[in-house]
Amino acid sequence: MTKDPRTAVRDGAGTTLAAVAVVQFMVSLDLSVVNVGLPEIAAGLGFGAVGLTWVIHAYALTFGGLLLLGGKAADRHGHKRVLLLGLGLFGLASFAGGFAQEPGHLVAARAAQGIGAAALAPAALALLAATFPGGRARVRAFGVWSAMNAAGGAFGVLAGGLLTEYAGWRWVMFVNVPMALCALALAQRGVAAAPPVDRGGRPDIAGAVLATVGMTLLVFGVVRTDQYGWTSPATMTTLSVAALLLGAFVHVERTTAREPLVRPGLIARRAVAGANLCNLLLGAAMAAAFYFVSLYVQRVLGKGPALTGLMFLPFALGVIVGAFVAVRLAQRLAPRTLLVPGTLLTAAGFAWFGLISPDGSFAVDVLGPSVVAGVGFGLCLGPLVSVATVGVAPGEAGTASGLLTSSRQIGASLGLAALGTAADHRTGDTVTPATLNDGYALGLTLSAALLTVAALIALTVLRGTRPAASGPAPEPGPALTGTAEQAR
């Protein structure tokens, strides 16, 4: 007798979780692994000061701009198939980037990495949501996912520092290859090839183009504010065009006779909207904090790349502890009950970071706030993802996952640009350890303020949400019952 594909997916739950964990760790690591090595990359390939920023921006543009399209592709063509294609592209781009001989080669490789990540990230998260539809297993699965998500970013700084100092900057690209191969092997052998869950209707090509170009321009305009400023004609024109395109996208999604890229009813659900807004603020705060703390340790305290990376280890360990605590508590508490203290604890850690001083010490200015912020971050990540995806029909799992990942990425770009600009204004024209410290402290304090707003959203918008109940995933359809109603 032929085995039902959904049963096969559940039978391979452990392998699916392992594959998704490796994927999420890799994607998160790649967002931060190159940061510490940028000076050596500039020297090795001859980057100018402006051109060097595109090593970061090329990845952010393609990743953030294509996530919604990647999520829809996963729903239409099968989560496993899109995951494998994304992993293959990501691994090949990483391998090619390690052999870059001039700036354009590395920027192109980073852009290709972003395209691969935009395909594999929502496909992996959709697989996780489908494989663990409810109960204790879902809580544990998202606890593992949240730990890998944050630990990848923190260990990326550590790996980037160690690899740059002791193996050379090219290894910040090569390090992705074995992880991609490992995830490919796990997914190929252990994840069931279930059929696509979204076959109906003609695809909304116009909506896909408008969303992709609009989001790409939004990220592009934001990341260039370090060159042109928020009020410059170039920035205002880019952001205005992005706003027009995204407004047109919303109109098309509401009126199209084709199958929309994002069903308006999905975004209208309180749980989805609230979780994505929290996620955007969380991404903004975390990206800015990693940036400011890394620069504070190197440019104010005068530490080297490898030691800087090691100093981020307590944060990663704190995230793992927080994720474990969330798993233990989530069976008895609603997601909001974990989200509120989690975001507030992270905000407290960032507020502590905001007290940094030019003659600070590791124990007081880095270790203490890292542990507090790390535990808080780990405590809220899993419940946040669970709220955003619980009760979503299988045919929209990839879309919901892409939307969640996209909100984090857009938040990171917006937050880093806005808070970076504020920090630069505080620093002023006279660059000394003291003025740099003042700028970084302001940026970290503003990050704490963003997280306080996220806690208020969790307290109000997400009120009434409940953990996912045990049972099979809901069938596709306009009306969802059970866990879907609980999450509204």
Side-chain angles (χ1 to χ4, degrees):
M1 179 181 293
T2 303
K3 198 170 190 178
D4 179 65
R6 293 187 184 180
T7 302
V9 169
R10 287 193 291 269
D11 289 346
T15 306
T16 299
L17 178 57
V20 171
V22 174
V23 165
Q24 191 57 45
F25 183 86
M26 179 180 68
V27 171
S28 297
L29 180 141
D30 211 62
L31 288 169
S32 60
V33 70
V34 301
N35 289 353
V36 179
L38 286 176
E40 284 74 13
I41 290 174
L45 294 181
F47 273 100
V50 174
L52 185 63
T53 63
W54 285 99
V55 176
I56 304 296
H57 297 341
Y59 185 82
L61 281 169
T62 51
F63 188 18
L66 296 172
L67 271 165
L68 280 179
L69 195 58
K72 192 63 176 178
D75 288 336
R76 290 192 62 82
H77 302 293
H79 299 148
K80 178 179 178 180
R81 178 183 298 177
V82 173
L83 175 64
L84 294 177
L85 288 173
L87 280 169
L89 178 58
F90 193 93
L92 287 173
S94 300
F95 188 70
F99 288 106
Q101 298 299 311
E102 58 183 64
H105 294 165
L106 184 58
V107 171
R110 290 285 288 168
Q113 280 185 316
I115 296 172
L120 65 90
L125 191 52
L127 272 173
L128 194 66
T131 306
F132 301 93
R136 185 181 298 274
R138 179 182 177 90
V139 174
R140 288 177 176 170
F142 280 109
V144 171
W145 180 91
S146 63
M148 292 300 100
N149 182 28
F155 279 110
V157 181
L158 171 61
L162 294 174
L163 290 171
T164 298
E165 189 158 331
Y166 298 114
W169 69 263
R170 295 183 184 276
W171 281 94
V172 303
M173 298 294 291
F174 288 143
V175 71
N176 294 308
V177 177
M179 288 189 290
L181 290 174
C182 177
L184 268 171
L186 288 169
Q188 181 64 50
R189 292 176 179 239
V191 178
V197 290
D198 179 15
R199 293 181 179 273
R202 295 178 297 170
D204 176 22
I205 303 299
V209 172
L210 287 170
T212 301
V213 177
M215 291 180 67
T216 300
L217 281 177
L218 176 63
V219 177
F220 180 69
V222 169
V223 299
R224 292 202 311 167
T225 54
D226 58 350
Q227 293 177 246
Y228 298 104
W230 283 96
T231 58
S232 69
T235 298
M236 295 298 292
T237 300
T238 303
L239 295 180
S240 297
V241 173
L244 288 173
L245 291 174
L246 292 175
F249 164 70
V250 173
H251 176 72
V252 168
E253 296 304 282
R254 290 181 176 275
T255 59
T256 183
R258 294 173 176 256
E259 183 184 355
L261 187 65
V262 180
R263 184 174 59 86
L266 177 65
I267 304 178
R269 292 182 64 223
R270 191 174 69 193
V272 173
N276 275 278
L277 187 53
C278 283
N279 202 38
L280 186 143
L281 293 171
L282 194 63
M286 293 305 301
F290 269 107
Y291 177 76
F292 292 130
V293 174
S294 177
L295 290 179
Y296 169 72
V297 172
Q298 293 186 81
R299 300 182 68 182
V300 178
L301 298 186
K303 309 301 181 184
L307 188 55
T308 298
L310 285 171
M311 287 184 174
F312 275 85
L313 192 58
F315 178 84
L317 296 176
V319 171
I320 295 172
V321 170
F324 176 78
V325 172
V327 168
R328 303 286 292 180
L329 296 178
Q331 284 296 305
R332 300 187 298 273
L333 301 175
R336 184 188 65 157
T337 308
L338 294 173
L339 275 173
V340 174
T343 48
L344 287 176
L345 192 60
T346 312
F350 286 176
W352 187 352
F353 267 129
L355 301 177
I356 54 175
S357 63
D359 56 349
S361 65
F362 168 70
V364 175
D365 295 88
V366 179
L367 177 60
S370 291
V371 172
V372 173
V375 171
F377 191 48
L379 189 64
C380 63
L381 263 184
L384 181 65
V385 178
S386 184
V387 169
T389 58
V390 67
V392 173
E396 293 184 311
T399 304
S401 301
L403 186 64
L404 190 68
T405 311
S406 183
S407 66
R408 173 75 59 81
Q409 182 63 23
I410 296 298
S413 297
L414 289 169
L416 186 55
L419 272 59
T421 300
D424 287 342
H425 286 167
R426 172 64 66 88
T427 299
D429 296 329
T430 305
V431 179
T432 65
T435 58
L436 288 172
N437 181 87
D438 290 344
Y440 302 153
L442 175 63
L444 289 162
T445 301
L446 292 175
S447 296
L450 291 178
L451 283 168
T452 303
V453 175
L456 291 174
I457 292 171
L459 188 63
T460 55
V461 178
L462 296 181
R463 68 183 184 279
T465 55
R466 294 290 183 270
S470 299
E475 297 295 328
L480 299 175
T481 58
T483 55
E485 293 298 327
Q486 292 173 349
R488 285 179 182 165

